RNA sequence: GCUCCGGUGGUGUAGCCCGGCCAAUCAUACGGGACUCUCGAUCCCGUGACCCGGGUUCAAAUCCCGGCCGGAGCACCA
């Protein structure tokens, strides 16, 4: 039945086909609109009252991974209306030392991705607030100062046994706490723990650390503090203070919720709704850790944090990606708890949809080979499509000395090829002119791109590798924009002067 | 090891809570064709999946049990 229909359709004339397609295209267009990518509805989300946050530690620049957090949270706030808060969880000046430049990079990239934070908070500047809540908990007997070493406590924890310090009175604990704040103890000597349940079936939950001493100057607050909260504590307090309604983050933080709930219970607060997503592994980048990237950037293996080979948002911006593409890419991943490993090809496909219709076309001849065309006496002016979608054109001089790429030269030497939009030649270093008409070579489809001698600019393309070659002068008008180098790839023209520097976007 | 969580085409995703309308959605990928003086663009057509085994039921991707596989956490990191 279906086959018959198709056969019937195929047998129609072009005109008739067109007519039928027209007839159904309205319906199709409507369907496409419905399928606009969107996040699944958020549980218990009230219009205008959704408060969400993105809480990075700026110990490196935002990466594709950060983009997911920004996009998913930001997008939900957009969907329902409410508040979007950026909070820098920068409470460890040593092991996760913040990078001073990264604070602004986050803000910039968030804006570029299309979200405007309603509030920006720096945890490191609000440490006194956390002290107050710590004090309350101590007074309530829900937190205690503990002098066990990490090793000692591990034994207690693993065996589900309460440590001796757990039983001290709130008054005593308070006294120790004050002395901690006054800097009377050394690093590692004492910590403040939250009382949970030493018999909890998950050892990870048992009496966790809320504050520890770190004697290291903080990039933002200097030496103002020696007692720093852990993420679990800081974030628990802050989420409540900010009135966060929904938390969506990676599943590595799943235990965090279980720990924090104890505090919420003690203060009688309501814990936000949470959702956790799985790990994203991108084929092209493998596992990426900020510290690992940092080492390679600092060692000079990469040009900088926006090196086009890097998975940072800055790098994608430099490559000329549209933020809409990145948004669609992550929205389509959804918020499932299973791990995903996905190829950047999907991102490329999203980006291509947006960029292809607007990118101007140019010839870029990499690894050029000089060709002399014999039998072509006069120069001609050649018109080529600049943007096939808009019908605009560009011009090139058709000369008897041209350059083609080595790949094409070697592959097609001795054959008749078509210099796109110009003429046909028998390809060799001394080529023979074979006419201007297209039909002669159309069958073989040996259509290649070319550039006239003396009317080009030096061009370098930076990407996975570096390509050297020449490009037509016309590109100058597209400085800063993404163009398509025909038969090569999309590239962003970063600089166009005497020489051209282009960044490889994607195929 | 302990505590959680998850397993739908090559890849991602919808459906699973509230079993039937799922011979399973959409995207991407791949294959074929059309169009085009580039193309990985566009337009047609096609390929391709419910981890395995039991159970409950008239009926299971959906519920239950077991297995296998994968992941996360088990820090004075975030």
């Amino acid at each position: 039945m279906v086959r018959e229909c198709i056969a019937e359709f195929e047998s129609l004339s072009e005109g008739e086909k067109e007519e039928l397609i027209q007839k159904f295209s309205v319906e199709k267009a409507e369907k496409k609109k419905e399928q606009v990518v969107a996040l699944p509805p958020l549980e218990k989300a009230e219009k205008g009252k959704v408060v969400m946050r993105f809480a990075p530690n700026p110990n490196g620049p935002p990466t594709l991974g950060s983009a997911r957090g920004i996009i998913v949270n930001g997008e939900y706030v957009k969907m329902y209306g409410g508040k979007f808060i950026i909070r820098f969880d920068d409470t460890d000046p040593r092991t996760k030392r913040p990078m001073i430049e990264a604070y602004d990079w986050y803000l910039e990239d968030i804006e570029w991705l299309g979200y405007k934070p309603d509030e920006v908070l720096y945890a490191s500047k609000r440490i006194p607030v956390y002290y107050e809540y710590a004090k309350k908990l101590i007074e309530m007997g829900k937190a205690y100062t503990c002098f066990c070493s990490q090793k000692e406590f591990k034994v207690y924890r693993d065996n589900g046994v309460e440590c001796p310090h757990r039983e001290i009175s709130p008054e005593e604990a308070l006294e120790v706490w004050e002395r901690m704040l006054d800097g009377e103890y050394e690093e590692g000597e004492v910590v403040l723990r939250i009382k949970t349940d030493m018999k909890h079936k998950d050892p990870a939950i048992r009496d966790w650390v809320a504050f520890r001493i770190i004697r290291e100057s903080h990039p933002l607050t200097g030496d103002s503090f020696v007692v720093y909260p852990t993420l679990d504590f800081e974030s628990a307090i802050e989420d409540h203070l900010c009135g966060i309604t929904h938390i969506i983050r990676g599943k590595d933080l799943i235990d965090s919720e279980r720990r924090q709930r104890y505090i919420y219970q003690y203060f009688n607060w309501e814990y936000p709704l949470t959702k956790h997503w799985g790990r994203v592994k991108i084929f092209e980048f493998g596992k990426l850790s900020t510290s690992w990237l940092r080492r390679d950037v600092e060692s000079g293996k990469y040009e900088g944090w926006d090196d086009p080979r890097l998975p940072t948002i800055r790098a994608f911006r430099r490559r000329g990606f549209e933020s809409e593409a990145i948004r669609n890419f992550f929205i389509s991943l959804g918020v499932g708890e299973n791990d995903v490993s996905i190829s950047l090809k999907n991102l490329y496909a999203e980006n291509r949809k947006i960029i292809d219709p607007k990118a101007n076309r140019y010839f870029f001849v990499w690894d050029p080979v000089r060709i002399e065309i014999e039998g072509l006496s006069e120069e001609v002016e050649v018109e080529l499509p600049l943007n096939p979608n808009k019908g605009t054109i560009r011009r090139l001089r058709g000369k008897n000395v041209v350059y083609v790429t080595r790949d094409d030269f070697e592959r097609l030497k001795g054959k008749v090829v078509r210099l796109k939009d110009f003429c046909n030649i028998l390809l060799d270093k001394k080529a023979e002119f074979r006419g201007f008409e297209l039909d002669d070579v159309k069958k073989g489809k040996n259509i290649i791109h070319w550039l006239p001698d003396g009317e080009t600019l030096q061009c370098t393309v930076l990407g996975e590798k570096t390509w050297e070659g020449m490009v037509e002068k016309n590109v100058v008008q597209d400085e800063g924009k993404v163009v398509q180098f025909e038969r090569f790839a999309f590239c962003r023209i970063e600089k166009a002067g005497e020489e051209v520097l282009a960044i490889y976007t994607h195929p």
Side-chain angles (χ1 to χ4, degrees):
Chain A
M1 172 74 181
V2 174
R3 275 176 216 290
E4 281 169 29
C5 281
I6 294 163
E8 195 183 326
F9 179 78
E10 290 299 338
S11 69
L12 296 172
S13 74
E14 282 308 312
E16 286 170 316
K17 279 186 192 176
E18 201 50 45
E19 208 174 297
L20 271 177
I21 291 169
Q22 284 295 331
K23 213 167 147 189
F24 290 104
S25 62
V26 177
E27 198 176 310
K28 240 186 190 164
E30 278 172 2
K31 261 189 185 165
K32 274 206 166 152
K33 251 185 188 167
E34 280 172 32
Q35 284 159 7
V36 157
V37 274
L39 255 9
L42 195 56
E43 244 178 280
K44 289 191 180 164
E46 280 182 64
K47 284 250 173 270
K49 291 186 182 166
V50 169
V51 182
M52 298 182 73
R53 41 139 273 194
F54 172 65
N57 175 14
N59 62 337
T63 61
L64 265 194
S66 328
R68 165 124 96 150
I70 296 164
I71 290 163
V72 172
N73 286 288
E75 202 61 31
Y76 272 125
V77 174
K78 267 191 187 170
M79 270 170 69
Y80 291 97
K83 249 166 96 178
F84 185 40
I85 298 173
I86 303 302
R87 188 183 71 224
F88 290 106
D89 282 346
D90 53 351
T91 55
D92 187 339
R94 185 171 352 257
T95 30
K96 287 286 164 77
R97 173 159 254 268
M99 215 171 134
I100 196 78
E101 316 91 297
Y103 289 92
D104 283 340
W105 290 351
Y106 266 97
L107 265 17
E108 265 175 52
D109 287 351
I110 288 164
E111 201 190 325
W112 179 76
L113 283 168
Y115 305 95
K116 12 175 197 340
D118 294 291
E119 226 175 289
V120 179
L121 261 35
Y122 301 78
S124 59
K125 294 183 185 172
R126 289 164 56 82
I127 288 178
V129 176
Y130 314 137
Y131 288 165
E132 283 174 40
Y133 286 92
K135 193 175 169 189
K136 283 184 198 166
L137 285 167
I138 296 169
E139 287 165 351
M140 291 160 73
K142 300 300 186 190
Y144 62 97
T145 48
C146 172
F147 288 89
C148 293
S149 71
Q150 256 183 90
K151 259 191 185 162
E152 283 164 350
F153 193 82
K154 187 175 165 34
V155 177
Y156 289 119
R157 178 171 47 221
D158 290 349
N159 295 307
V161 178
E162 307 184 344
C163 93
H165 314 285
R166 200 182 207 260
E167 290 318 314
I168 64 169
S169 67
E171 293 74 25
E172 253 181 288
L174 212 51
E175 219 172 281
V176 177
W177 170 247
E178 295 297 344
R179 282 209 292 273
M180 269 174 84
L181 297 183
D182 288 343
E184 289 182 29
Y185 295 107
E186 287 312 308
E187 243 181 88
E189 218 181 327
V190 59
V191 296
L192 186 76
R193 287 186 186 280
I194 300 300
K195 272 192 201 169
T196 62
D197 175 1
M198 288 307 286
K199 299 236 172 348
H200 190 108
K201 61 181 176 174
D202 184 352
I205 310 305
R206 300 174 187 166
D207 289 16
W208 50 275
V209 172
F211 287 87
R212 75 292 205 206
I213 295 165
I214 302 174
R215 291 189 178 275
E216 173 109 21
S217 172
H218 191 283
L220 227 51
T221 57
D223 299 313
S224 315
F225 309 103
V226 289
V227 177
Y228 285 92
T230 56
L231 171 84
D232 284 334
F233 190 84
E234 172 267 316
S235 155
I237 302 299
E238 209 62 271
D239 284 341
H240 174 258
L241 262 26
C242 296
I244 303 293
T245 57
H246 302 257
I247 299 174
I248 307 185
R249 39 127 85 139
K251 68 178 178 184
D252 47 323
L253 259 15
I254 228 159
D255 280 342
S256 208
E257 172 176 349
R258 287 194 265 267
R259 283 190 281 258
Q260 294 178 155
R261 275 188 182 278
Y262 280 88
I263 295 183
Y264 276 68
Q265 194 190 312
Y266 298 149
F267 284 129
N268 214 273
W269 293 342
E270 195 186 335
Y271 201 85
L273 252 70
T274 54
K275 229 177 164 76
H276 297 92
W277 60 61
R279 267 179 74 108
V280 180
K281 200 173 119 197
I282 291 180
F283 291 145
E284 289 81 349
F285 294 118
K287 287 182 183 175
L288 37 99
S289 82
T290 310
S291 52
W292 183 78
L293 288 177
R294 189 169 193 160
R295 203 194 57 209
D296 286 343
V297 169
E298 280 165 6
S299 75
K301 184 173 169 189
Y302 296 111
E303 264 192 6
W305 286 106
D306 61 354
D307 186 295
R309 290 166 292 185
L310 255 26
T312 58
I313 298 181
R314 317 188 68 70
F316 283 99
R317 285 171 63 178
R318 189 173 174 211
R319 286 166 69 179
F321 275 75
E322 296 278 328
S323 60
E324 191 188 344
I326 298 181
R327 235 180 293 139
N328 291 160
F329 175 74
F330 279 112
I331 290 173
S332 75
L333 280 192
V335 283
E337 205 163 311
N338 40 347
D339 303 319
V340 299
S341 43
I342 192 168
S343 166
L344 233 29
K345 284 185 181 166
N346 293 276
L347 213 206
Y348 295 165
E350 289 293 347
N351 200 238
R352 195 148 41 223
K353 279 181 208 160
I354 304 170
I355 256 173
D356 187 74
K358 55 185 189 187
N360 283 161
R361 319 280 140 139
Y362 297 102
F363 286 162
F364 165 60
V365 174
W366 61 99
D367 202 2
V369 176
R370 186 187 155 98
I371 304 291
E372 284 178 38
I373 304 171
E374 292 171 348
L376 176 68
S377 42
E378 84 260 39
E379 285 185 13
V380 292
E381 188 163 73
V382 180
E383 285 193 348
L384 308 96
L386 176 66
N387 185 319
N389 303 287
K390 294 180 192 154
T392 48
I393 57 152
R394 67 193 206 266
R395 294 189 171 79
L396 238 37
R397 294 213 64 77
K399 293 184 167 184
N400 58 6
V401 177
V402 300
Y403 290 90
V404 301
T405 72
R406 185 165 300 280
D407 291 349
D408 286 335
F409 180 76
E410 273 159 17
R411 192 168 52 90
L412 299 168
K413 190 160 80 170
K415 292 185 183 156
V416 175
V417 301
R418 170 81 176 169
L419 299 178
K420 188 173 182 273
D421 292 301
F422 176 25
C423 68
N424 310 324
I425 58 170
L426 177 64
L427 185 64
D428 211 323
K429 299 228 169 167
K430 300 256 187 232
E432 269 174 47
F433 176 68
R434 288 290 179 91
F436 290 111
E437 292 310 309
L438 168 67
D439 296 349
D440 302 343
V441 274
K442 196 178 178 184
K443 283 264 155 58
K445 290 211 76 171
N446 289 337
I447 298 170
I448 63 173
H449 60 112
W450 54 281
L451 284 171
D453 182 42
E455 308 202 11
T456 60
L457 296 170
Q458 270 294 116
C459 180
T460 303
V461 177
L462 253 42
E464 274 309 305
K465 54 179 250 194
T466 302
W467 291 266
E468 296 287 350
M470 45 177 68
V471 71
E472 56 189 276
K473 285 181 173 167
N474 298 318
V475 275
V476 174
Q477 62 184 332
D478 269 329
E479 184 170 13
K481 293 192 189 142
V482 173
V483 303
Q484 187 194 70
F485 285 155
E486 294 192 40
R487 306 210 307 134
F488 181 67
F490 289 96
C491 293
R492 183 175 151 271
I493 306 301
E494 184 157 286
K495 256 183 272 164
E498 293 299 292
E499 285 178 21
V500 175
L501 177 64
I503 311 296
Y504 190 93
T505 308
H506 58 70

